[in-house]
Amino acid sequence: MLEALTPQPQDKILQLIALYRDDPRAQKIDLGVGVYKDATGLTPVMRAVKAAEKSLWERETTKTYTGLAGEPAYNAALTGMILGAGFADRAASIATPGGTGAIRQALELIRLANPEAKVWLSNPTWPNHPSIIKYLGMKMAEYRYFDAATRGVDFEGLKADLASVAKGDVVLLHGCCHNPTGANPTAAQWAELADILSARGAIPFIDLAYQGFGDGLEEDAAATRLIAARFPEVLIAASCSKNFGIYRERTGILIALTEPARKAVVQGNLNFLNRQNYSFPPDHGARLVTMILEDAALTADWKAELEEVRRNMLTLRRALAEELRRATNSDRYDFIAHHRGMFSRIGLSEAQVIALREKHGIYMVGDSRINIAGLNAATVPVLAAAIAAVGD
Ligand code: LMR
């Protein structure tokens, strides 16, 4: 049987991890996979997470199964963090293994409800979006998103493409901190986008993997909240990997907003999908998140550390834009300071990306997406000089 298998294409982001690891050069710089690193290159366990883990170790008396949909307290606390109050009667939810698990379950829910549904993706988007959709045999389409000249949102192109969305189509949106570009709609553009989707009868599906990494925890939820308030049905796949720094714990949530009368059936279908795919979702990370969100002191400490992380990335953005001004004697990279989140697509050719890797030991995704958090004060000028050296 297994002889029928053929090699799968390598994930372009994960592939970089191995390439970087195998590079013997001491001065190499990793701007690949989206993992936060502090100035020393460490991905720290956040203080509140450590404190919650200690207290969990002391208090936990059993490892028996928890709820099939996840612990209700986790689902309630995280839904509150994302949406604010007032959605309890509309929000069905399941805990999932990370944000990827939530995306996969959302797509399976869509397929269960409407096997013919078409899912619209921004061009570009996180490569795992189209990969999972293709694997599930679902239909997909793209809408324009990124203006390669300005490195901002191509809002006219986006509007023109979303005008042909059919009733019942699903439109996948990055709630904040667009991955891979770093370019995001303004508040006014989000409102206009909501008008268009509402007029088309589309179902918004929001991927929220970086809440707290852009303009702030509340600010980064604003677009999601706007859409949640306006549409009868919304899917939200959220991740705690980045904002709680618990990548390997696989902690996410899928929220399906529906009409109150339909909530029980939707919840039953979500539970069914968990049961079919892995039974009970992982609990450790979800429990830590719940403990943090339910304890005022831990919440305050976590928010303070998250804010520090966010500010560090903003500082690096400004420093890089400034260094590039100097190194290239132009303002063409100023957009880096205006982008938000971990990533910026900086607009280099594939040949330049390869030259940066081979000649300078600088690793970024092939589309020239850089992870800002992979930089520090010392490597910012090194990157700027290398970009200037490979010609821009
Ligand atoms: C990324 O885009 O680098 C992150 O979301 C990590 C991943 O799984 O790809």
Side-chain angles (χ1 to χ4, degrees), residues 182-318:
N184 299 286
T186 62
Q189 288 173 334
W190 273 111
E192 213 180 326
L193 185 50
D195 286 341
I196 296 170
L197 296 184
S198 172
R200 304 302 309 165
I203 296 147
F205 170 15
I206 300 172
D207 182 350
L208 192 63
Y210 298 90
Q211 187 185 352
F213 270 32
D215 291 310
L217 199 60
E218 296 296 312
E219 292 83 348
D220 290 350
T224 303
R225 292 176 187 178
L226 167 89
I227 285 170
R230 279 203 56 181
F231 288 77
E233 288 185 350
V234 183
L235 299 174
I236 302 160
S239 170
C240 298
S241 296
K242 280 85 179 180
N243 49 15
F244 286 87
I246 49 174
Y247 305 83
R248 65 173 64 164
E249 302 298 351
R250 309 314 297 141
T251 308
I253 192 168
L254 169 61
I255 303 169
L257 294 180
T258 183
E259 284 156 25
R262 202 163 292 136
K263 181 181 153 180
V265 175
V266 175
Q267 184 64 59
N269 276 268
L270 290 175
N271 292 6
F272 169 79
L273 285 175
N274 262 8
R275 182 63 170 157
Q276 299 318 297
N277 282 322
Y278 38 74
S279 277
F280 297 85
D283 180 70
H284 185 72
R287 203 162 285 271
L288 301 176
V289 166
T290 313
M291 290 171 76
I292 293 168
L293 293 179
E294 286 184 343
D295 180 299
L298 286 181
T299 302
D301 190 38
W302 166 68
K303 282 186 178 171
E305 194 169 358
L306 176 60
E307 188 57 11
E308 204 178 296
V309 160
R310 189 182 76 80
R311 286 183 185 280
N312 282 348
M313 288 188 291
L314 273 183
T315 304
L316 286 166
R317 284 189 174 284
R318 292 193 194 110

Side-chain angles (χ1 to χ4, degrees), residues 375-392:
L375 291 166
N376 59 43
T379 55
V380 162
V382 177
L383 173 64
I387 289 175
V390 299
D392 58 336

Side-chain angles (χ1 to χ4, degrees), residues 13 33-34 126 179 210 242 343 369:
I13 298 173
V33 68
W126 185 49
N179 179 8
Y210 298 90
K242 280 85 179 180
F343 307 117
R369 184 193 83 169

Side-chain angles (χ1 to χ4, degrees), residues 8-28:
Q8 294 289 345
Q10 288 225 39
D11 183 284
K12 295 208 162 52
I13 298 173
L14 300 186
Q15 198 179 9
L16 280 177
I17 299 176
L19 278 178
Y20 177 79
R21 192 192 46 219
D22 295 344
D23 186 334
R25 286 173 287 187
Q27 304 305 327
K28 57 189 178 176

